[in-house]
Amino acid sequence: MASEFHHYILDRAQKACSSNMLLADELMTLLNQSKANIYKKMQGKTPFSMEEYLAISRKYDISLDAIIHKSQGEFQKVTFDYSLPEHQPQSPDGFLEKIFLDLQRIIQIPLASISYASNEVPIFHSLRYPTLTAFKLYVWARTNWLISDQLSPTFDPDRFYQTWPAVETLRNDISDLYRQIPGKEFWSRTVVDNILNQIKYYENCGFFIHPSLPQGLRTELGQMLEECAQMGAMNSKTTSFGSTSGAKLDLYLNEIAYTNNIIMIYRDEIPLIVYSTMDNPNFLRSQDPVFCQRMNGWIKQIETCSFHTGNELHRLNLFRDLNRKIIPGFL
């Protein structure tokens, strides 16, 4: 008789596939066995070896902790992936490369969608603007990744792109991929506060190579908000940059629930992966089904108390308040 462990492994492997036939085919290749043998093992008539269970778990990124270590008291055991210091970005383009590869995997998921709740404008919108992109990466490199030895002592976007030319291609490729994936975004009225504080701090400390750069960054930030306002009005990720239309976007004003960055990845509305910032912009990632369901419930909760920017009044109020932070006296 198949064990609880057997059902646990196959259930999670199955959720990574679209059908039983596909899972059997993949296990045939993975374990180098005939389809008849694979079906017998999947049905519990013949046991998988421990080495085979481990191979399946590694292929489908299945955590064994949840089945081996039981939860205690009021706490549920949840497993996360996290890049420890030795695996954290060693360069700005290395950070973008990881995002690009993740989006390439996500876009292959049937009926994929993304829900993004944040107290900052999602980075995917900033990537359309070269100076804004370089500045965000420069700040993270100095403060989060501790690779300031690779940076110029002051922020110089020209030198930045000379040092990491791949950033130019990656920022556009990532933005294009994100535009193809439908989803929802939940913003607060504080989404520009952090970037504005960073600009002010670097300006006060004399960390800009040219005195015109702070205003240039604010200009790009304003242009980005204008584009996002258009997306909110059209319920679409279509932008004036793109030659093709973007996927559906539902943009909400979240006035109630404070959040850091929570990103949910779905397949046909089934939650698959949760990303959450621990030390922004570095992420924890979990595919634990119980945790994914809980965070999906949280997303649905804040959606019920958020304002959709398809409503003109809510949209105009939100973007007017954001622009006033960037442009004093904005009407």
Side-chain angles (χ1 to χ4, degrees):
M1 179 180 290
S3 66
E4 178 186 5
F5 184 78
H6 172 92
H7 288 301
Y8 173 84
I9 297 294
L10 286 192
D11 178 64
R12 278 151 181 77
Q14 181 61 64
K15 288 177 180 177
C17 300
S18 58
S19 69
N20 281 316
M21 183 65 71
L22 178 58
L23 178 59
D25 289 343
E26 290 188 352
L27 293 184
M28 284 173 56
T29 302
L30 176 67
L31 305 179
N32 193 25
Q33 296 185 23
S34 69
K35 183 171 288 188
N37 280 345
I38 291 298
Y39 274 124
K40 287 180 181 178
K41 292 190 174 188
M42 290 177 68
Q43 294 165 2
K45 296 177 180 178
T46 303
F48 284 105
S49 69
M50 184 53 65
E51 288 75 15
E52 289 170 340
Y53 277 127
L54 288 174
I56 296 170
S57 299
R58 287 169 180 149
K59 176 174 178 59
Y60 296 107
D61 199 17
I62 301 168
S63 169
L64 302 182
D65 286 353
I67 190 69
I68 295 173
H69 302 290
K70 296 298 183 181
S71 299
Q72 298 181 2
E74 298 178 355
F75 293 91
Q76 176 87 27
K77 289 192 181 297
V78 177
T79 57
F80 291 91
D81 297 321
Y82 177 73
S83 293
L84 293 171
E86 60 269 26
H87 301 296
Q88 288 187 7
Q90 301 300 306
S91 65
D93 52 359
F95 171 72
L96 293 183
E97 180 70 25
K98 289 184 178 181
I99 296 177
F100 177 70
L101 293 174
D102 271 357
L103 284 178
Q104 280 191 316
R105 287 188 285 267
I106 292 168
I107 208 166
Q108 298 302 317
I109 297 172
L111 301 174
S113 64
I114 298 176
S115 288
Y116 198 138
S118 178
N119 61 359
E120 292 188 69
V121 177
I123 186 176
F124 303 106
H125 301 304
S126 304
L127 292 175
R128 283 296 183 184
Y129 300 88
T131 308
L132 195 57
T133 297
F135 181 67
K136 291 177 76 72
L137 293 171
Y138 181 87
V139 172
W140 287 333
R142 286 181 65 101
T143 58
N144 295 75
W145 306 325
L146 303 179
I147 54 175
S148 56
D149 57 314
Q150 302 179 38
L151 305 170
S152 57
T154 54
F155 174 62
D156 179 352
D158 292 335
R159 182 169 174 180
F160 183 93
Y161 281 103
Q162 288 171 3
T163 306
W164 295 287
V167 168
E168 177 66 18
T169 300
L170 283 166
R171 71 179 184 85
N172 286 305
D173 289 347
I174 290 169
S175 186
D176 288 341
L177 285 175
Y178 184 70
R179 287 178 56 244
Q180 297 174 47
I181 306 172
K184 301 175 181 179
E185 292 182 11
F186 299 86
W187 291 21
S188 71
R189 296 184 193 274
T190 64
V191 290
V192 296
D193 289 6
N194 189 45
I195 183 67
L196 289 174
N197 288 336
Q198 290 170 339
I199 293 170
K200 183 177 180 180
Y201 174 81
Y202 272 68
E203 187 175 19
N204 290 340
C205 293
F207 287 160
F208 288 109
I209 191 69
H210 194 279
S212 66
L213 278 172
Q215 184 54 48
L217 286 166
R218 294 186 184 98
T219 298
E220 284 196 350
L221 193 56
Q223 292 170 346
M224 181 194 68
L225 289 179
E226 182 179 354
E227 287 264 320
C228 290
Q230 293 172 7
M231 293 185 205
M234 296 186 295
N235 295 333
S236 169
K237 291 183 178 180
T238 301
T239 72
S240 59
F241 286 101
S243 57
T244 58
S245 60
K248 186 176 187 294
L249 172 67
D250 287 300
L251 178 59
Y252 293 87
L253 169 60
N254 164 32
E255 298 266 39
I256 302 297
Y258 178 82
T259 177
N260 55 0
N261 293 313
I262 302 292
I263 303 175
M264 296 285 306
I265 310 301
Y266 297 86
R267 180 185 66 213
D268 195 15
E269 300 187 5
I270 299 171
L272 298 181
I273 309 171
V274 178
Y275 292 84
S276 178
T277 48
M278 185 69 177
D279 51 345
N280 191 38
N282 303 316
F283 280 88
L284 294 169
R285 181 183 67 181
S286 179
Q287 295 176 270
D288 182 278
V290 175
F291 185 68
C292 286
Q293 285 291 351
R294 167 64 193 109
M295 296 311 298
N296 181 50
W298 180 83
I299 288 286
K300 291 184 180 299
Q301 285 174 328
I302 67 168
E303 182 175 340
T304 63
C305 56
S306 298
F307 301 108
H308 196 288
T309 59
N311 179 297
E312 185 177 16
L313 179 61
H314 296 317
R315 184 178 67 256
L316 293 177
N317 285 340
L318 170 61
F319 285 96
R320 179 198 61 214
D321 290 348
L322 295 178
N323 275 294
R324 281 175 174 171
K325 295 182 178 185
I326 301 169
I327 308 168
F330 183 89
L331 298 177

